[in-house]
PDB file of all heavy atoms in Angstrom:
ATOM      1  N   VAL A  63       8.010   1.645 -18.999  1.00 96.00           N
ATOM      2  CA  VAL A  63       8.405   0.445 -19.699  1.00 96.00           C
ATOM      3  C   VAL A  63       7.926   0.682 -21.268  1.00 96.00           C
ATOM      4  O   VAL A  63       8.690   0.222 -22.118  1.00 96.00           O
ATOM      5  CB  VAL A  63       7.661  -0.863 -19.122  1.00 96.00           C
ATOM      6  CG1 VAL A  63       7.927  -2.072 -20.131  1.00 96.00           C
ATOM      7  CG2 VAL A  63       8.360  -1.089 -17.718  1.00 96.00           C
ATOM      8  N   ILE A  77      13.017  -6.905 -23.116  1.00 94.00           N
ATOM      9  CA  ILE A  77      12.953  -6.014 -21.882  1.00 94.00           C
ATOM     10  C   ILE A  77      12.529  -6.726 -20.691  1.00 94.00           C
ATOM     11  O   ILE A  77      11.642  -7.677 -20.673  1.00 94.00           O
ATOM     12  CB  ILE A  77      12.148  -4.762 -22.064  1.00 94.00           C
ATOM     13  CG1 ILE A  77      12.846  -3.673 -23.093  1.00 94.00           C
ATOM     14  CG2 ILE A  77      11.687  -4.008 -20.737  1.00 94.00           C
ATOM     15  CD1 ILE A  77      12.318  -2.387 -23.280  1.00 94.00           C
ATOM     16  N   HIS A  78      13.216  -6.549 -19.546  1.00 97.00           N
ATOM     17  CA  HIS A  78      12.952  -7.301 -18.306  1.00 97.00           C
ATOM     18  C   HIS A  78      12.726  -6.386 -17.149  1.00 97.00           C
ATOM     19  O   HIS A  78      13.318  -5.291 -17.140  1.00 97.00           O
ATOM     20  CB  HIS A  78      14.379  -8.110 -17.975  1.00 97.00           C
ATOM     21  CG  HIS A  78      14.289  -8.806 -16.646  1.00 97.00           C
ATOM     22  ND1 HIS A  78      15.285  -8.496 -15.641  1.00 97.00           N
ATOM     23  CD2 HIS A  78      13.433  -9.731 -16.178  1.00 97.00           C
ATOM     24  CE1 HIS A  78      14.907  -9.339 -14.547  1.00 97.00           C
ATOM     25  NE2 HIS A  78      13.858 -10.018 -14.898  1.00 97.00           N
ATOM     26  N   VAL A  79      11.864  -6.686 -16.302  1.00 98.00           N
ATOM     27  CA  VAL A  79      11.484  -5.929 -15.246  1.00 98.00           C
ATOM     28  C   VAL A  79      11.181  -6.721 -13.899  1.00 98.00           C
ATOM     29  O   VAL A  79      11.032  -8.016 -14.012  1.00 98.00           O
ATOM     30  CB  VAL A  79      10.119  -5.097 -15.500  1.00 98.00           C
ATOM     31  CG1 VAL A  79      10.293  -4.002 -16.533  1.00 98.00           C
ATOM     32  CG2 VAL A  79       8.982  -6.073 -15.889  1.00 98.00           C
ATOM     33  N   ILE A  80      11.436  -6.120 -12.781  1.00 98.00           N
ATOM     34  CA  ILE A  80      11.388  -6.907 -11.474  1.00 98.00           C
ATOM     35  C   ILE A  80      10.456  -6.224 -10.415  1.00 98.00           C
ATOM     36  O   ILE A  80      10.323  -4.958 -10.361  1.00 98.00           O
ATOM     37  CB  ILE A  80      12.739  -6.947 -10.828  1.00 98.00           C
ATOM     38  CG1 ILE A  80      13.793  -7.508 -11.848  1.00 98.00           C
ATOM     39  CG2 ILE A  80      12.713  -7.624  -9.503  1.00 98.00           C
ATOM     40  CD1 ILE A  80      15.318  -7.470 -11.278  1.00 98.00           C
ATOM     41  N   THR A  81       9.557  -7.057  -9.827  1.00 98.00           N
ATOM     42  CA  THR A  81       8.786  -6.707  -8.827  1.00 98.00           C
ATOM     43  C   THR A  81       8.653  -7.889  -7.827  1.00 98.00           C
ATOM     44  O   THR A  81       9.322  -8.789  -7.824  1.00 98.00           O
ATOM     45  CB  THR A  81       7.352  -6.190  -9.357  1.00 98.00           C
ATOM     46  OG1 THR A  81       6.600  -5.568  -8.273  1.00 98.00           O
ATOM     47  CG2 THR A  81       6.541  -7.317  -9.994  1.00 98.00           C
ATOM     48  N   PHE A  93       2.088  -4.844 -14.157  1.00 98.00           N
ATOM     49  CA  PHE A  93       3.105  -5.824 -14.668  1.00 98.00           C
ATOM     50  C   PHE A  93       2.529  -7.082 -15.483  1.00 98.00           C
ATOM     51  O   PHE A  93       3.131  -7.616 -16.312  1.00 98.00           O
ATOM     52  CB  PHE A  93       3.907  -6.331 -13.245  1.00 98.00           C
ATOM     53  CG  PHE A  93       5.004  -5.394 -12.965  1.00 98.00           C
ATOM     54  CD1 PHE A  93       4.981  -4.639 -11.832  1.00 98.00           C
ATOM     55  CD2 PHE A  93       6.134  -5.047 -13.901  1.00 98.00           C
ATOM     56  CE1 PHE A  93       5.856  -3.717 -11.489  1.00 98.00           C
ATOM     57  CE2 PHE A  93       7.051  -4.163 -13.545  1.00 98.00           C
ATOM     58  CZ  PHE A  93       7.018  -3.534 -12.398  1.00 98.00           C
ATOM     59  N   LEU A  96       1.933  -6.194 -18.829  1.00 96.00           N
ATOM     60  CA  LEU A  96       3.254  -6.064 -19.625  1.00 96.00           C
ATOM     61  C   LEU A  96       3.728  -7.496 -19.929  1.00 96.00           C
ATOM     62  O   LEU A  96       4.277  -7.773 -21.004  1.00 96.00           O
ATOM     63  CB  LEU A  96       4.364  -5.322 -18.818  1.00 96.00           C
ATOM     64  CG  LEU A  96       4.151  -3.831 -18.617  1.00 96.00           C
ATOM     65  CD1 LEU A  96       5.084  -3.283 -17.618  1.00 96.00           C
ATOM     66  CD2 LEU A  96       4.286  -3.081 -19.957  1.00 96.00           C
ATOM     67  N   VAL A 101       6.848  -8.741 -22.275  1.00 95.00           N
ATOM     68  CA  VAL A 101       7.933  -8.286 -21.391  1.00 95.00           C
ATOM     69  C   VAL A 101       8.138  -9.360 -20.379  1.00 95.00           C
ATOM     70  O   VAL A 101       7.225  -9.994 -19.949  1.00 95.00           O
ATOM     71  CB  VAL A 101       7.486  -6.910 -20.675  1.00 95.00           C
ATOM     72  CG1 VAL A 101       8.500  -6.488 -19.840  1.00 95.00           C
ATOM     73  CG2 VAL A 101       7.298  -5.765 -21.683  1.00 95.00           C
ATOM     74  N   GLU A 102       9.436  -9.565 -20.232  1.00 96.00           N
ATOM     75  CA  GLU A 102       9.825 -10.581 -19.223  1.00 96.00           C
ATOM     76  C   GLU A 102       9.740  -9.977 -17.845  1.00 96.00           C
ATOM     77  O   GLU A 102      10.370  -8.920 -17.443  1.00 96.00           O
ATOM     78  CB  GLU A 102      11.288 -11.101 -19.391  1.00 96.00           C
ATOM     79  CG  GLU A 102      11.602 -12.226 -18.538  1.00 96.00           C
ATOM     80  CD  GLU A 102      13.078 -12.562 -18.641  1.00 96.00           C
ATOM     81  OE1 GLU A 102      13.759 -12.164 -19.655  1.00 96.00           O
ATOM     82  OE2 GLU A 102      13.515 -13.166 -17.788  1.00 96.00           O
ATOM     83  N   VAL A 103       8.882 -10.591 -16.907  1.00 97.00           N
ATOM     84  CA  VAL A 103       8.685 -10.014 -15.615  1.00 97.00           C
ATOM     85  C   VAL A 103       9.159 -10.923 -14.603  1.00 97.00           C
ATOM     86  O   VAL A 103       8.613 -12.256 -14.559  1.00 97.00           O
ATOM     87  CB  VAL A 103       7.150  -9.785 -15.301  1.00 97.00           C
ATOM     88  CG1 VAL A 103       6.990  -9.035 -13.899  1.00 97.00           C
ATOM     89  CG2 VAL A 103       6.529  -8.937 -16.494  1.00 97.00           C
ATOM     90  N   THR A 104       9.946 -10.489 -13.622  1.00 98.00           N
ATOM     91  CA  THR A 104      10.278 -11.510 -12.400  1.00 98.00           C
ATOM     92  C   THR A 104       9.573 -11.025 -11.210  1.00 98.00           C
ATOM     93  O   THR A 104       9.650  -9.927 -10.914  1.00 98.00           O
ATOM     94  CB  THR A 104      11.842 -11.284 -12.079  1.00 98.00           C
ATOM     95  OG1 THR A 104      12.608 -11.780 -13.240  1.00 98.00           O
ATOM     96  CG2 THR A 104      12.315 -12.145 -10.927  1.00 98.00           C
ATOM     97  N   PHE A 105       8.770 -11.938 -10.718  1.00 98.00           N
ATOM     98  CA  PHE A 105       7.839 -11.670  -9.496  1.00 98.00           C
ATOM     99  C   PHE A 105       8.730 -12.258  -8.362  1.00 98.00           C
ATOM    100  O   PHE A 105       8.618 -13.533  -8.208  1.00 98.00           O
ATOM    101  CB  PHE A 105       6.530 -12.278  -9.640  1.00 98.00           C
ATOM    102  CG  PHE A 105       5.621 -11.607 -10.585  1.00 98.00           C
ATOM    103  CD1 PHE A 105       5.496 -12.153 -11.980  1.00 98.00           C
ATOM    104  CD2 PHE A 105       4.978 -10.472 -10.334  1.00 98.00           C
ATOM    105  CE1 PHE A 105       4.783 -11.585 -12.893  1.00 98.00           C
ATOM    106  CE2 PHE A 105       4.081  -9.845 -11.175  1.00 98.00           C
ATOM    107  CZ  PHE A 105       4.087 -10.387 -12.502  1.00 98.00           C
ATOM    108  N   ARG A 126      19.397  -6.577 -19.206  1.00 94.00           N
ATOM    109  CA  ARG A 126      18.102  -6.127 -19.986  1.00 94.00           C
ATOM    110  C   ARG A 126      17.117  -5.478 -18.953  1.00 94.00           C
ATOM    111  O   ARG A 126      16.086  -5.083 -19.449  1.00 94.00           O
ATOM    112  CB  ARG A 126      17.643  -7.206 -20.662  1.00 94.00           C
ATOM    113  CG  ARG A 126      18.415  -7.844 -21.766  1.00 94.00           C
ATOM    114  CD  ARG A 126      17.895  -9.185 -22.272  1.00 94.00           C
ATOM    115  NE  ARG A 126      17.786 -10.215 -21.273  1.00 94.00           N
ATOM    116  CZ  ARG A 126      16.679 -10.570 -20.831  1.00 94.00           C
ATOM    117  NH1 ARG A 126      15.477 -10.147 -21.164  1.00 94.00           N
ATOM    118  NH2 ARG A 126      16.689 -11.708 -19.955  1.00 94.00           N
ATOM    119  N   THR A 127      17.326  -5.462 -17.640  1.00 96.00           N
ATOM    120  CA  THR A 127      16.418  -4.922 -16.639  1.00 96.00           C
ATOM    121  C   THR A 127      16.232  -3.403 -16.931  1.00 96.00           C
ATOM    122  O   THR A 127      17.242  -2.804 -16.851  1.00 96.00           O
ATOM    123  CB  THR A 127      16.852  -5.299 -15.269  1.00 96.00           C
ATOM    124  OG1 THR A 127      17.079  -6.643 -15.160  1.00 96.00           O
ATOM    125  CG2 THR A 127      15.808  -4.984 -14.365  1.00 96.00           C
ATOM    126  N   ALA A 128      15.002  -3.003 -17.031  1.00 96.00           N
ATOM    127  CA  ALA A 128      14.650  -1.607 -17.268  1.00 96.00           C
ATOM    128  C   ALA A 128      14.106  -1.028 -16.043  1.00 96.00           C
ATOM    129  O   ALA A 128      14.115   0.203 -15.855  1.00 96.00           O
ATOM    130  CB  ALA A 128      13.649  -1.469 -18.396  1.00 96.00           C
ATOM    131  N   LEU A 129      13.409  -1.727 -15.105  1.00 98.00           N
ATOM    132  CA  LEU A 129      12.625  -1.186 -13.952  1.00 98.00           C
ATOM    133  C   LEU A 129      12.615  -2.171 -12.851  1.00 98.00           C
ATOM    134  O   LEU A 129      12.429  -3.351 -13.125  1.00 98.00           O
ATOM    135  CB  LEU A 129      11.300  -0.831 -14.423  1.00 98.00           C
ATOM    136  CG  LEU A 129      10.231  -0.428 -13.391  1.00 98.00           C
ATOM    137  CD1 LEU A 129      10.701   0.981 -12.903  1.00 98.00           C
ATOM    138  CD2 LEU A 129       8.838  -0.286 -13.892  1.00 98.00           C
ATOM    139  N   VAL A 130      12.724  -1.731 -11.742  1.00 98.00           N
ATOM    140  CA  VAL A 130      12.507  -2.501 -10.422  1.00 98.00           C
ATOM    141  C   VAL A 130      11.421  -1.752  -9.667  1.00 98.00           C
ATOM    142  O   VAL A 130      11.539  -0.537  -9.486  1.00 98.00           O
ATOM    143  CB  VAL A 130      13.850  -2.652  -9.617  1.00 98.00           C
ATOM    144  CG1 VAL A 130      13.487  -3.196  -8.233  1.00 98.00           C
ATOM    145  CG2 VAL A 130      14.830  -3.421 -10.292  1.00 98.00           C
TER     146      VAL A 130
END
Side-chain angles (χ1 to χ4, degrees):
V63 176
I77 283 183
H78 173 240
V79 290
I80 299 171
T81 188
F93 275 114
L96 290 171
V101 172
E102 186 189 342
V103 185
T104 299
F105 292 96
R126 296 173 294 107
T127 309
L129 175 71
V130 170

